[in-house]
Amino acid sequence: MKRICVTAAVLCCLLAVSAPASAAGLGEMRAKSAVLATEDGQVLFEQNADEALPPASVTKLMTMLLTMEAVEQGKASLDDVVTASAHAAEMGGSQIYLKEGEQMTLDDLLKSIAVASANDAAVAVAEHLAGSEAAFVDRMNARAKELGCTGTTFVNPNGLDTDGEETRTTAADLVRMSAELLRHEEILQYTSIWMDSVRGGAFGLTNTNKMLRLYDGMVGLKTGYTSTAGYCISAVAQRDGMRLIAVVLGEPDKQSRNEDITAMLNYGFANYALADILEEGQDCGSVPVELGMQPSVAAQLADDAPVLMEKAGAEQLERELVLAERVQAPVRQGTKLGEAVLRLNGEEIARRDIVAAEDVARKGLLAIYRELLSFLLMKQWAFAGAFS
């Protein structure tokens, strides 16, 4: 194996991610439960993260996720015309006041859910996608299990309190749902809307997430409130290429909710940053190919996603590329050729595969024979020239 070491000064002095911050690291949250995490699930702070609590309208994260997945899979279209049932029209709380038999596009209903937290729109969408609200709730619970949510039970698609039944989930589970929803970037086109309208402009929508105007970089996702659940939110903000998810459940009031979310996000952006696997302008080089139709194969990272680092007093990162001395043809694109290793103060903090960027076919027997013949002729001419 050949090794290439690069030591890079890191402007913001990066350190590897440590264990999640304790509650004391931020001061005690007034929320009953809180989590700060990256969109790929790295937890930076947690407090009672696995306590099952009512999430109120933050429930609609799963409703929006199943909607986005249905559209992406071709099982539904944003242009679908949805007819409101009597059941959807009877929903209370936040709503767009659907009438039984009223028709609206799935696009407008999704916007109403994301922006105005419309409970009637959530039920109408559920019935449209699954045939009934109960069938949709079954899908919600099944999808939660697929995502690894262990403390979640949905009873409806909107989070309203019902007689004898109550949706329960955890802040940790809501981070999982939020992260999965963020895989559908189009949802941010809805959750970042401040004001809009439906019914051809006749009914106005104003976002329930006031943090969109209060916090720099806020792009969504979903607020919630009932007298039972208290004030809740799954908030997503992004700065300098880094996206963070902050979830709180059971806040006593809106101000506490906003202050705790602000404190968590400020903590994340102030103490963490992203480091690229390779230096700017650096590539992975190439590896010689034996019996290949070309002499070498270009190498590239299998995953070039940056690594989250904790800002601290370190001065350097060391990047090491470990490549195979050679490979034999045929080589398929994606074949592992080595590894890229990041170390800080001698401690490994990340390791990524380096793979072939292209296919390289193996030479046929005729090509090998021609090369051998050419080599022998050249040797013969060289030998003859030595005695001429």
Side-chain angles (χ1 to χ4, degrees):
M1 303 291 279
K2 58 184 178 182
R3 299 171 181 264
I4 305 170
C5 293
V6 180
T7 301
V10 182
L11 296 178
C12 55
C13 302
L14 303 171
L15 263 181
V17 174
S18 59
S22 66
L26 276 170
E28 191 70 23
M29 296 286 106
R30 285 156 290 188
K32 292 179 180 179
S33 178
V35 176
L36 174 68
T38 64
E39 62 181 323
D40 63 357
Q42 296 182 70
V43 176
L44 310 183
F45 170 85
E46 59 184 4
Q47 175 179 293
N48 301 327
D50 296 316
E51 182 179 355
L53 296 165
S57 284
V58 186
T59 294
K60 297 182 178 86
L61 287 174
M62 181 58 79
T63 302
M64 291 190 290
L65 173 60
L66 292 181
T67 303
M68 297 303 295
E69 289 179 340
V71 170
E72 191 166 283
Q73 294 163 9
K75 297 177 181 178
S77 167
L78 292 173
D79 295 325
D80 285 355
V81 176
V82 180
T83 302
S85 69
H87 176 55
E90 70 182 8
M91 292 295 113
S94 300
Q95 56 183 303
I96 54 172
Y97 302 97
L98 288 172
K99 303 296 183 183
E100 181 181 358
E102 181 178 1
Q103 293 186 323
M104 192 172 288
T105 64
L106 182 59
D107 180 62
D108 275 350
L109 290 171
L110 179 59
K111 180 168 61 176
S112 300
I113 294 168
V115 177
S117 195
N119 295 315
D120 48 359
V123 173
V125 167
E127 293 175 335
H128 177 72
L129 294 179
S132 70
E133 182 183 18
F136 189 80
V137 171
D138 287 342
R139 292 186 186 180
M140 294 172 74
N141 285 313
R143 190 70 179 99
K145 288 182 179 179
E146 290 173 358
L147 294 175
C149 300
T150 58
T152 297
T153 303
F154 292 110
V155 301
N156 56 41
N158 52 30
L160 281 172
D161 293 337
T162 59
D163 293 336
E165 290 185 308
E166 188 178 55
T167 289
R168 291 270 173 161
T169 189
T170 69
D173 285 354
L174 288 173
V175 166
R176 294 183 181 95
M177 296 177 216
S178 299
E180 190 66 19
L181 183 56
L182 288 172
R183 291 166 60 88
H184 305 273
E185 285 285 329
E186 296 85 356
I187 197 61
L188 297 181
Q189 297 175 16
Y190 296 91
T191 63
S192 62
I193 293 170
W194 179 244
M195 296 183 72
D196 207 324
S197 63
V198 292
R199 298 187 178 104
F203 189 89
L205 305 174
T206 301
N207 207 306
T208 60
N209 182 10
K210 306 310 178 189
M211 295 293 289
L212 285 171
R213 291 292 180 91
L214 298 175
Y215 193 84
D216 181 31
M218 181 70 59
V219 293
L221 279 176
K222 191 70 198 73
T223 62
Y225 168 77
T226 66
S227 58
T228 303
Y231 291 86
C232 312
I233 191 172
S234 174
V236 176
Q238 54 193 33
R239 293 180 185 174
D240 300 324
M242 182 168 66
R243 188 178 284 170
L244 297 178
I245 303 169
V247 174
V248 293
L249 295 174
E251 290 278 8
D253 51 59
K254 285 184 181 179
Q255 182 176 344
S256 296
R257 179 177 68 186
N258 293 350
E259 288 176 352
D260 282 351
I261 286 294
T262 297
M264 285 198 293
L265 291 172
N266 283 348
Y267 169 82
F269 288 123
N271 289 279
Y272 294 86
L274 295 173
D276 291 327
I277 300 298
L278 300 178
E279 282 190 303
E280 185 177 354
Q282 183 186 10
D283 61 40
C284 293
S286 61
V287 174
V289 180
E290 293 182 348
L291 302 178
M293 290 298 291
Q294 59 191 57
S296 63
V297 58
Q300 66 182 17
L301 289 170
D303 177 6
D304 63 357
V307 177
L308 187 75
M309 315 286 287
E310 185 179 353
K311 296 176 185 177
E315 295 180 353
Q316 296 181 3
L317 272 178
E318 183 181 81
R319 294 173 167 89
E320 181 181 17
L321 305 185
V322 183
L323 295 173
E325 292 289 345
R326 62 185 61 82
V327 291
Q328 283 200 340
V331 179
R332 297 289 177 235
Q333 184 179 22
T335 299
K336 184 174 178 178
L337 302 176
E339 294 179 325
V341 183
L342 264 67
R343 294 186 180 89
L344 189 61
N345 297 333
E347 180 181 352
E348 182 178 319
I349 58 172
R351 182 180 291 263
R352 301 282 175 81
D353 285 348
I354 297 174
V355 299
E358 57 191 334
D359 291 339
V360 178
R362 185 182 178 88
K363 292 177 181 176
L365 290 176
L366 182 59
I368 294 173
Y369 173 76
R370 285 174 176 169
E371 283 191 3
L372 178 60
L373 181 61
S374 176
F375 174 77
L376 292 175
L377 288 173
M378 289 180 65
K379 294 287 285 185
Q380 183 178 3
W381 292 337
F383 180 78
F387 290 94
S388 61

